């Protein structure tokens, strides 16, 4: 991939101007490490775009590359290959460490799992520290701004206490206040609730959602599935590669390695409005997942008049009844009022993976049964027409 020319990082102090723009772009990013055992690749050509104003969670097993991915975005680490672009600015090409450090201080808020508060400073002084480092705001304004941020997270009564004298949940709230000290458009959080109880974790996520409603972009690594359901997007990384979001949304029970297999073999196709995807009484050779748009499942009454049995949305699937039970299609399936993008997996690969994943097979089986019951009821209704 040829990198597009990007403006120097030192010319980009304020990043977010429009929610229609990409805040983060990773282009064919590779990260390799070497040690006594040899060289190993942690990120394997990652392509990722995150738009301004999105709240994105990143999940994956230990060693999958989550934290390395975050380090690429924050400028803490360097890609071996590829480009990392934040709002049109390449943060590595032609940029010194000192320039990148100053850019990071003005444009990024970083929240760590273990807070990283300086123990000898009060909470108020910890929040003021980023403003001092990048020389933002007048010197006399900084204490008042820091206090406003502590009020925002409910810690104004603890402003003059040292971190050791408050709870772990309160320390993380102070760390979030510190991350927002320079009003950055982008907040990056690495397991921000990993050491907190559920109530404190809920408070953190509500704060993040409030920031997003104000136009901030948040990228959060987490292991907690209850948190991923509250973000706009859930990105899964497996063995240094990103899983297709349509695959993970359609088949959330699959093991990550199986999701990655599907990601690598799916075929993408766009159908124009009302175009037929599957015809009734036709052999079905693929399992279909909807990436974008709507799909209508269509039956006919006794008078051969079409009617819509159900309408499927992005993240849903079809073709599973015929693949699992054999036989020909029991309905027509066609694109809705707008173009629809679908991903398809060949019959043989779908059946192999489903046989290796009993939990997924059970979940799909329940959907199959529900859809067959819906068709039975519809058939009974149309029989009297």
């Amino acid at each position: 991939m040829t990198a597009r020319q990007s403006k120097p990082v030192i010319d980009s102090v304020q990043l977010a101007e429009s929610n229609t723009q990409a805040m983060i772009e990773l282009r064919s990013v590779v990260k390799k490490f070497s040690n006594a055992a040899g060289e190993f690749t942690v990120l394997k050509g990652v392509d990722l775009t995150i738009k301004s104003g999105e709240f994105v969670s990143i999940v994956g097993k230990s060693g999958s590359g989550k934290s390395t991915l975050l380090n690429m975005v924050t400028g803490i680490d360097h890609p071996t290959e590829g480009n990392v672009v934040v709002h049109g600015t390449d943060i590595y090409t032609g940029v010194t460490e000192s320039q990148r450090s100053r850019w990071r201080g003005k444009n990024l808020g970083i929240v760590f799992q273990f807070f990283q508060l300086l123990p000898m400073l009060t909470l108020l002084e910890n929040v003021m520290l980023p403003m001092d480092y990048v020389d933002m705001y007048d010197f006399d304004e900084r204490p008042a701004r820091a206090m406003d941020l502590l009020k925002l997270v409910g810690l104004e009564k603890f402003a003059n206490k040292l971190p050791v004298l408050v709870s772990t949940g309160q320390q993380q709230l102070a760390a979030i206040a510190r991350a927002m000290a320079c009003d950055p458009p982008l907040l990056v959080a690495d397991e921000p609730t990993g050491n907190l109880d559920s109530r404190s974790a809920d408070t953190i996520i509500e704060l993040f959602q409030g920031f997003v409603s104000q136009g901030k972009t948040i990228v959060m690594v987490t292991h907690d599935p209850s948190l991923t359901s509250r973000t706009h997007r859930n990105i899964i990384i497996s063995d240094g590669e990103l899983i297709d979001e349509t695959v993970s949304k359609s088949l959330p029970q699959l093991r990550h390695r199986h999701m990655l297999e599907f990601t690598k073999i799916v075929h993408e196709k766009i159908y124009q409005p009302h175009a037929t995807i599957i015809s009734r009484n036709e052999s079905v050779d693929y399992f279909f997942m909807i990436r974008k748009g709507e799909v209508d499942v269509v039956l006919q009454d006794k008078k051969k008049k079409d009617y819509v049995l159900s309408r499927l949305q992005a993240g849903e699937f079809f073709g599973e009844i015929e693949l699992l039970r054999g036989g020909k299609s029991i309905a027509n399936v066609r694109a809705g009022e707008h173009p629809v993008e679908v991903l398809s997996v060949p019959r043989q690969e779908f059946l192999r993976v489903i046989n290796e994943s009993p939990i997924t097979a059970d979940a799909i089986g329940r959907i199959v049964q529900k859809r067959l019951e819906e068709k039975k009821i519809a058939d009974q209704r149309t029989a009297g027409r």
Side-chain angles (χ1 to χ4, degrees):
M1 176 178 288
T2 302
R4 293 178 289 181
Q5 295 220 336
S6 302
K7 56 189 176 182
V9 68
I10 55 176
D11 288 342
S12 179
V13 174
Q14 296 301 324
L15 295 181
E17 295 176 356
S18 170
N19 286 341
T20 63
Q21 297 178 328
M23 175 62 71
I24 298 169
E25 294 178 271
L26 274 63
R27 305 171 184 163
S28 302
V29 170
V30 175
K31 180 60 182 179
K32 298 179 181 180
F33 290 100
S34 297
N35 57 23
E39 184 179 81
F40 58 100
T41 304
V42 180
L43 299 179
K44 304 174 181 178
V46 170
D47 290 296
L48 175 64
T49 298
I50 296 174
K51 295 180 180 179
S52 295
E54 284 193 307
F55 187 5
V56 177
S57 54
I58 299 177
V59 302
K61 295 180 179 178
S62 179
S64 62
K66 304 185 301 297
S67 294
T68 302
L69 183 63
L70 279 195
N71 289 343
M72 298 295 106
V73 173
T74 59
I76 292 175
D77 208 346
H78 292 245
T80 306
E81 301 173 18
N83 299 88
V84 179
V85 179
V86 181
H87 202 65
T89 298
D90 192 319
I91 66 173
Y92 291 103
T93 303
V95 179
T96 66
E97 288 291 346
S98 61
Q99 288 173 332
R100 185 162 41 251
S101 180
R102 184 170 177 81
W103 168 85
R104 182 166 49 241
K106 291 190 175 184
N107 295 287
L108 286 180
I110 305 177
V111 181
F112 302 96
Q113 180 176 356
F114 295 103
F115 324 135
Q116 306 294 343
L117 297 171
L118 293 184
M120 72 292 296
L121 299 181
T122 66
L123 299 188
L124 184 70
E125 291 167 336
N126 266 281
V127 176
M128 290 171 56
L129 195 61
M131 301 181 236
D132 296 337
Y133 176 71
V134 298
D135 195 25
M136 280 190 72
Y137 306 104
D138 290 338
F139 183 81
D140 294 337
E141 293 179 9
R142 294 171 192 171
R145 174 166 174 76
M147 183 61 77
D148 286 342
L149 288 167
L150 288 174
K151 288 179 181 178
L152 179 66
V153 298
L155 293 180
E156 65 273 21
K157 294 180 180 179
F158 304 92
N160 295 313
K161 288 187 177 294
L162 296 174
V164 71
L165 298 177
V166 300
S167 69
T168 55
Q170 289 168 329
Q171 288 183 60
Q172 189 62 296
L173 289 169
I176 291 172
R178 180 187 59 186
M180 300 303 294
C182 297
D183 195 27
L186 175 61
L187 184 67
V188 175
D190 192 356
E191 294 284 0
T193 63
N195 291 312
L196 306 180
D197 58 65
S198 58
R199 184 175 179 179
S200 297
D202 189 63
T203 299
I204 299 299
I205 297 304
E206 287 180 357
L207 271 173
F208 284 175
Q209 290 174 325
F211 294 149
V212 170
S213 69
Q214 297 169 14
K216 305 295 185 185
T217 305
I218 298 181
V219 181
M220 174 181 68
V221 164
T222 181
H223 281 101
D224 190 341
S226 69
L227 303 184
T228 61
S229 64
R230 299 170 68 177
T231 60
H232 297 155
R233 293 167 61 190
N234 181 30
I235 296 170
I236 302 176
I237 186 169
S238 176
D239 194 25
E241 298 180 84
L242 298 188
I243 289 169
D244 187 283
E245 292 175 57
T246 300
V247 173
S248 62
K249 187 176 181 180
S250 300
L251 300 170
Q253 297 88 1
L254 273 184
R255 298 183 180 94
H256 288 180
R257 67 180 179 87
H258 285 142
M259 289 184 183
L260 189 57
E261 285 184 44
F262 277 0
T263 295
K264 293 180 177 180
I265 66 173
V266 291
H267 302 284
E268 182 177 352
K269 189 170 182 180
I270 298 176
Y271 291 89
Q272 296 305 310
H274 309 298
T276 298
I277 304 173
I278 297 176
S279 296
R280 188 177 183 181
N281 296 323
E282 173 185 81
S283 295
V284 178
D285 296 319
Y286 293 92
F287 173 77
F288 295 90
M289 294 168 281
I290 305 170
R291 168 171 282 169
K292 185 177 180 180
E294 296 179 336
V295 165
D296 291 335
V297 179
V298 181
L299 296 177
Q300 286 186 338
D301 58 23
K302 289 198 308 182
K303 297 179 180 179
K304 304 297 182 182
K305 184 178 179 181
D306 289 349
Y307 67 95
V308 176
L309 174 65
S310 60
R311 179 160 292 160
L312 306 180
Q313 312 286 332
E316 295 187 281
F317 54 78
F318 57 94
E320 80 291 344
I321 296 176
E322 294 79 7
L323 293 179
L324 292 176
R325 299 203 167 199
K328 299 181 183 293
S329 173
I330 61 175
N332 293 315
V333 182
R334 65 191 184 199
E337 297 293 330
H338 304 283
V340 61
E341 298 178 26
V342 299
L343 301 180
S344 61
V345 178
R347 169 195 291 268
Q348 184 175 355
E349 295 301 319
F350 170 74
L351 293 177
R352 176 185 62 80
V353 168
I354 293 305
N355 287 334
E356 295 176 7
S357 180
I359 295 176
T360 303
D362 182 62
I364 292 178
R366 290 195 297 271
I367 292 175
V368 167
Q369 188 60 38
K370 178 182 177 182
R371 290 178 175 177
L372 288 174
E373 289 174 358
E374 289 174 348
K375 181 180 182 299
K376 182 178 179 180
I377 293 172
D379 289 340
Q380 291 172 347
R381 288 176 178 172
T382 57
R385 291 183 181 178

